[in-house]
Amino acid sequence: MNTTAEQLRVLDALLPEWLEDSRKEAAFGEVASYIPELSKAPHSALGIHILDKNGSSASAGDCSLSFTLQSISKVFTLILALMDNGEEEVFRRVGMEPTGDNFNSMLKLELVRPGIPFNPLINAGAITVTSLIRGDSPAEKSKRILQFFRSLAGGVELQVNEDVYRSELETGNLNRSIAYLLVENGVLGGSVEDVLSVYFRHCSIECTCRDLARMALVLASDGIDPFSGGRLIPRRYVQVAKTFMITCGMYNASGEFAIKAGLPAKSGVSGGILTLVPGSLGIGVIGPALNAKGNSSAGVHLLERLSRKMDWSLF
Ligand code: GLN
């Protein structure tokens, strides 16, 4: 199979059956409830959208479902922080290594010196990175983030889901603890509540699988919007982001996903997964029921199968 258009034609026919097969995996997962509002998501939903640079697409399942980006936003706030500050400044405050711990763990912040977050895709790292986004106020930082995300989604008017935002603001005490530890370690400056409000807001930006696929396609195109031809992200920062997605994007199941699917990916506790085939495809998946590692059970199953069948692994 040569062109992505041919691949997508084949996939359009095959996807519905594969998707229904993967949907069964939702039975082994649970919808996240530590952010109470997230628990309202439909347990067995599963949807996928795949988009190529010419605008051809294949999709199946519950693609019209809206969900919040959650940790998927971390990839793009990292990129914006790099664009705002440069690599040197960002990597003075956050490391480049996987932790092997849960995404919301603060264990290593105390155990390993200097107490900087291991990487930008765990909560400690993402909160730190969020604090580096330029803007005179939390509102301005949030606005810049939203505008950047909208440009990556092809101008779609993405919005913050205020219910999810408030739900996390009211219950996010673990993230508060992490942030205070970061202040204590001299990594984070300013007001913890200000940083967290910006962080919770970008986690609460609502999207569909199609929006994820569109954002992923910019990464697959090395930072260029394939439809307008304009550069949205410097190529180097896309390289950095994709590498983190391989090593840390699926939490402490990143090694397994790299072996089984071989694609850069980022998941969120809403059950979303953004992934891509470099050079050709952007892919968005939603499946709210999560496995023990916090990734969409059905979504991971579907992506691993797809990658094997289509020979998408980079390795
Ligand atoms: N907003 C969520 C949190 O900070 C994001 C976590 C995630 O998607 N893994 O807990």
Side-chain angles (χ1 to χ4, degrees):
M1 250 179 287
N2 300 324
T3 68
T4 54
E6 281 169 41
Q7 286 194 35
L8 290 172
R9 254 196 312 277
V10 171
L11 277 178
D12 224 20
L14 293 173
L15 269 179
E17 193 189 323
W18 291 355
L19 182 127
E20 290 314 321
D21 198 39
S22 293
R23 197 193 289 274
K24 296 177 192 141
E25 296 294 311
F28 306 108
E30 273 176 46
V31 176
S33 58
Y34 78 100
I35 301 172
E37 194 65 23
L38 293 184
S39 66
K40 296 180 179 167
H43 182 276
S44 304
L46 183 61
I48 183 165
H49 190 97
I50 308 173
L51 184 64
D52 81 359
K53 291 180 180 179
N54 300 313
S56 301
S57 64
S59 57
D62 306 300
C63 283
S64 57
L65 186 68
S66 291
F67 54 94
T68 50
L69 286 169
Q70 298 302 331
S71 277
I72 298 169
S73 64
K74 292 170 180 165
V75 172
F76 301 105
T77 45
L78 168 66
I79 290 172
L80 188 56
L82 286 166
M83 288 165 68
D84 279 353
N85 302 276
E87 266 178 77
E88 211 180 299
E89 180 61 20
V90 170
F91 293 119
R92 261 187 340 109
R93 313 239 191 156
V94 64
M96 302 182 186
E97 305 301 337
T99 60
D101 302 328
N102 289 341
F103 63 86
N104 53 8
S105 172
M106 59 177 91
L107 203 63
K108 299 253 164 51
L109 288 177
E110 213 183 346
L111 277 182
V112 182
R113 292 286 137 196
I116 65 168
F118 264 48
N119 70 70
L121 299 189
I122 53 170
N123 287 11
I127 292 167
T128 304
V129 162
T130 299
S131 76
L132 300 176
I133 304 281
R134 294 251 180 268
D136 288 337
S137 63
E140 194 185 323
K141 289 175 195 234
S142 292
K143 192 170 151 204
R144 288 192 63 236
I145 293 170
L146 194 58
Q147 277 168 347
F148 181 54
F149 286 21
R150 284 174 177 170
S151 72
L152 297 170
V156 173
E157 286 289 297
L158 301 174
Q159 303 286 353
V160 171
N161 179 323
E162 296 291 340
D163 293 334
V164 174
Y165 167 68
R166 268 193 303 275
S167 186
E168 188 165 15
L169 191 66
E170 283 163 13
T171 57
N173 290 321
L174 190 47
N175 283 323
R176 266 184 197 96
S177 315
I178 290 172
Y180 279 108
L181 194 49
L182 290 169
V183 173
E184 184 62 26
N185 289 355
V187 180
L188 206 61
S191 147
V192 162
E193 286 305 324
D194 281 0
V195 178
L196 286 180
S197 75
V198 181
Y199 170 75
F200 292 149
R201 282 191 89 76
H202 68 66
C203 289
S204 303
I205 293 173
E206 203 160 47
C207 65
T208 61
C209 290
R210 193 188 178 286
D211 301 327
L212 284 190
R214 185 70 172 73
M215 294 171 90
L217 191 62
V218 177
L219 300 182
S221 311
D222 287 329
I224 292 185
D225 178 342
F227 303 116
S228 71
R231 176 163 292 286
L232 301 176
I233 308 168
R235 183 167 178 273
R236 169 65 189 153
Y237 298 154
V238 176
Q239 248 169 13
V240 171
K242 284 190 297 193
T243 310
F244 275 124
M245 289 166 78
I246 288 280
T247 57
C248 318
M250 301 295 277
Y251 313 124
N252 42 356
S254 299
E256 188 177 342
F257 191 79
I259 287 169
K260 292 187 176 168
L263 298 174
K266 182 73 202 90
S267 60
V269 285
S270 51
I273 303 176
L274 175 151
T275 184
L276 56 123
V277 181
S280 60
L281 298 169
I283 303 172
V285 172
I286 179 63
L290 308 179
N291 61 25
K293 295 281 175 77
N295 296 310
S296 169
S297 314
V300 166
H301 187 270
L302 179 60
L303 285 172
E304 288 176 353
R305 180 176 191 175
L306 255 174
S307 181
R308 284 286 272 276
K309 295 268 187 198
M310 305 306 287
D311 196 20
W312 281 343
S313 173
L314 299 183
F315 307 109

